Amino acid sequence: MASWTQKKLTLAIGGSALGLCLLAGGGIYYTEELIAEIDAQVVDKEAAIAKSDARIRQVPNLERDVIILRENLGEYVKILPDQKELTDFVRMLNQFNRQSGVKSSSLVNTQRQGGKNERFTPIEYTYEMTATLWQVMKFMNLVENFERFVGITEFSITSGSKGKVQTRDGDVVHTVKMTLQTYAYNGKVDAKDVEIPEHQQLREQLREEIYKRMQAIRLDRYEHRGEQGRRDVLVDPRDRGDVNAAGPSQEEQREALERNIDALARLREIQDKIGRANTTLFEQYSLEKNLKDGIDKFGAQIETESALVSFPPLRLRWLREVVAPYNELRNAVLVGKESNQPKDPYLPEPEMRQLVADLTTDCNNGQLDQARSRYELVLQRIAVPETDARYPLALAAKAWHVKAITAIDFKALDLKVQGIVVNPDGRSGVLLNGETYEEGEYVSDELLVKQVQEEQIWFVFRGLTLVRTM
């Protein structure tokens, strides 16, 4: 019995040991699974920390870009008109009409309502006009080069060569409809800008980069050069048999054209003979009488035969080679010769006043190259003598031209502003191209530092006060 009891005890102890071993093995397996799960969580946390560290490292660059963009926001949005400037833009359209020669028929303003927190409100104008091809191209060029951001999103042209042809300066007049689009800048919305620690210090450190970015903000421009001998592509140059079938043939129209060109040439021969040195006073008197009579008869003739020439290519020649030269000859003879005075080679006073007004607008709007070109195109025609009543207008136009040239040359100067010192109790200074200049000191023979402020520096360049914004 004793041995049996001992066996039972041995079996019980072995069973308990086996159970404990199994229990320990299960615990070890659970512990290893738990450790593996915790290790995976650690790896995920380390990846998240690394990603956050990468973002944190980008914060200085983001702060730098935000500061530069904030400082240049005014330059970016200044090309967008506010509500007040939209009225000025409509007035500017009227000036574009005068400069290009188009005749407007309607202007409809369509303003889309944006959200209350939107900074930019899209605005559209539907504009209808009548113009020649070259006039509408010049108008579109003026709009696209306007200092405010205005784009022509779509346009349509109805050719004026169908039916009764209307011409202007010898070119066919078309009907044009276009859509002008811009955006009104509404200023700051209710949302607050994120505060950047040490903003002022960072702003001072980035002053030079802010200035460089500001200089890079510009609008590309293209200047339309006019007709330059090209034909109107909206007018069919081919001979069509269904056009003016009841009227004279092309051959008859061509004969009328050549006949009047020859008659005009004979009148010009008389005019040339009057001006010759070997023409006696008596001959001169007789020739002048014949010329005046001939001009009167020729005027009546071209008025009668004008309706005969209707084929577009021949009509264009009629206007350019007959009508325009006749008007020029008539003005020279009947106006200038009657008073024994040469033809006035200068611009009339109204045109000269308009020139001064256009130069003023160009310079005030920063269109310096346009002001320079506008003046130089008519330079010879405004060189009136001092005794002429238009002389003050010529001086005013020249003054604006000088300002435009001076401002263009000033913009071309390599001026690198690297720092400023504003002294309320004394003379302020500026670090310019590596050298320090105080107010009142010359940078060069033509350039003087006049005043230094926190946001801008005033220079005197060739006697003209100009400002460079920081």
Side-chain angles (χ1 to χ4, degrees):
M1 289 296 291
S3 65
W4 174 247
T5 302
Q6 185 176 7
K7 287 181 180 180
K8 289 173 64 178
L9 181 60
T10 301
L11 290 172
I13 293 173
S16 299
L18 179 61
L20 290 173
C21 290
L22 292 174
L23 183 62
I28 292 171
Y29 177 77
Y30 174 76
T31 302
E32 288 179 347
E33 289 292 326
L34 183 60
I35 291 173
E37 183 179 350
I38 293 174
D39 287 341
Q41 293 178 359
V42 169
V43 171
D44 292 339
K45 292 295 183 182
E46 289 177 345
I49 292 171
K51 188 174 181 179
S52 299
D53 288 340
R55 290 180 176 178
I56 292 173
R57 287 192 296 270
Q58 294 176 354
V59 168
N61 290 333
L62 291 175
E63 290 180 342
R64 173 178 178 275
D65 292 339
V66 169
I67 290 173
I68 293 173
L69 287 174
R70 282 181 181 177
E71 294 300 317
N72 284 330
L73 177 62
E75 292 294 321
Y76 280 107
V77 302
K78 78 176 184 179
I79 64 174
L80 300 177
D82 57 24
Q83 294 297 332
K84 174 182 178 298
E85 289 171 329
L86 288 175
T87 303
D88 296 336
F89 172 70
V90 174
R91 294 173 181 167
M92 185 62 68
L93 284 181
N94 293 330
Q95 181 174 340
F96 292 164
N97 290 346
R98 292 196 307 271
Q99 294 178 3
S100 61
V102 306
K103 304 296 182 183
S104 62
S105 53
S106 71
L107 175 65
V108 180
N109 171 239
T110 305
Q111 182 166 346
R112 303 174 185 171
Q113 298 297 326
K116 64 179 182 179
N117 291 330
E118 290 187 0
R119 292 193 178 187
F120 306 101
T121 302
I123 298 173
E124 285 188 353
Y125 293 90
T126 300
Y127 201 28
E128 296 185 12
M129 67 186 73
T130 58
T132 67
L133 177 63
W134 318 114
Q135 289 173 342
V136 73
M137 290 179 67
K138 184 175 181 180
F139 177 85
M140 295 171 70
N141 183 244
L142 290 170
V143 171
E144 293 288 355
N145 282 344
F146 186 49
E147 64 173 350
R148 299 304 186 207
F149 176 76
V150 181
I152 299 175
T153 57
E154 60 178 317
F155 68 91
S156 62
I157 302 179
T158 302
S159 176
S161 62
K162 309 297 183 183
K164 186 176 180 180
V165 178
Q166 180 184 358
T167 61
R168 191 179 297 164
D169 297 330
D171 292 311
V172 176
V173 175
H174 311 291
T175 301
V176 184
K177 182 178 181 180
M178 64 178 61
T179 301
L180 310 176
Q181 186 181 70
T182 185
Y183 291 82
Y185 176 59
N186 303 318
K188 291 188 176 181
V189 295
D190 295 336
K192 294 183 178 180
D193 292 332
V194 176
E195 294 186 4
I196 299 176
E198 301 180 355
H199 178 272
Q200 291 297 330
Q201 294 86 335
L202 292 173
R203 178 175 173 271
E204 291 298 324
Q205 295 174 10
L206 296 172
R207 182 178 293 275
E208 185 173 352
E209 183 62 28
I210 292 172
Y211 176 76
K212 289 181 180 179
R213 295 279 185 92
M214 187 183 299
Q215 300 305 310
I217 302 172
R218 63 184 182 85
L219 289 175
D220 292 330
R221 300 179 185 273
Y222 168 77
E223 295 297 334
H224 174 57
R225 300 184 181 277
E227 179 180 354
Q228 294 187 321
R230 294 172 292 181
R231 71 172 183 86
D232 188 341
V233 296
L234 301 176
V235 177
D236 191 346
R238 298 171 299 179
D239 179 16
R240 293 183 52 178
D242 58 342
V243 176
N244 197 18
S249 66
Q250 281 192 43
E251 187 61 32
E252 293 172 333
Q253 295 182 41
R254 187 174 290 106
E255 290 178 357
L257 173 65
E258 298 297 338
R259 180 170 62 250
N260 284 275
I261 291 177
D262 292 341
L264 182 62
R266 288 192 293 270
L267 292 176
R268 283 179 170 170
E269 290 178 0
I270 298 175
Q271 184 188 30
D272 292 340
K273 191 173 182 180
I274 293 174
R276 293 174 186 173
N278 58 353
T279 302
T280 65
L281 184 62
F282 179 80
E283 291 175 334
Q284 187 176 22
Y285 175 80
S286 178
L287 290 171
E288 287 178 352
K289 185 177 184 304
N290 292 338
L291 181 59
K292 291 176 184 178
D293 293 342
I295 287 177
D296 291 339
K297 293 179 181 179
F298 185 68
Q301 176 179 318
I302 63 174
E303 185 175 353
T304 302
E305 297 190 356
S306 177
L308 299 178
V309 184
S310 58
F311 181 55
L314 297 178
R315 182 68 183 177
L316 184 60
R317 288 189 58 195
W318 173 270
L319 295 172
R320 290 181 176 176
E321 301 180 34
V322 176
V323 177
Y326 162 73
N327 290 331
E328 182 180 354
L329 178 63
R330 181 179 180 277
N331 292 334
V333 174
L334 300 184
V335 177
K337 294 298 183 179
E338 284 182 350
S339 58
N340 294 323
Q341 295 292 333
K343 180 186 175 183
D344 187 2
Y346 307 114
L347 288 179
E349 183 174 346
E351 293 186 22
M352 198 171 290
R353 290 188 182 279
Q354 185 61 48
L355 171 65
V356 174
D358 292 341
L359 290 174
T360 303
T361 301
D362 289 344
C363 290
N364 290 336
N365 291 339
Q367 296 176 312
L368 304 175
D369 290 329
Q370 180 170 305
R372 178 178 61 181
S373 300
R374 190 191 302 277
Y375 177 87
E376 292 175 354
L377 283 174
V378 296
L379 178 60
Q380 300 299 324
R381 300 199 62 194
I382 63 173
V384 297
E386 296 183 5
T387 55
D388 195 295
R390 295 164 290 184
Y391 186 68
L393 294 174
L395 289 180
K398 183 177 181 180
W400 280 114
H401 178 253
V402 170
K403 290 180 180 179
I405 293 295
T406 303
I408 290 172
D409 293 343
F410 177 76
K411 288 176 63 176
L413 293 178
D414 185 18
L415 298 178
K416 297 179 180 178
V417 180
Q418 297 159 320
I420 62 171
V421 175
V422 179
N423 185 2
D425 300 324
R427 297 168 66 187
S428 301
V430 57
L431 181 61
L432 191 65
N433 295 345
E435 296 187 21
T436 303
Y437 300 91
E438 292 185 345
E439 293 175 336
E441 291 186 346
Y442 279 90
V443 179
S444 66
D445 293 340
E446 296 181 319
L447 186 63
L448 169 74
V449 178
K450 181 179 181 180
Q451 186 178 5
V452 179
Q453 298 177 345
E454 291 185 358
E455 299 295 335
Q456 55 193 11
I457 303 172
W458 297 79
F459 294 91
V460 177
F461 181 64
R462 298 177 186 169
L464 185 66
T465 300
L466 298 165
V467 62
R468 180 67 64 92
T469 304
M470 300 296 295

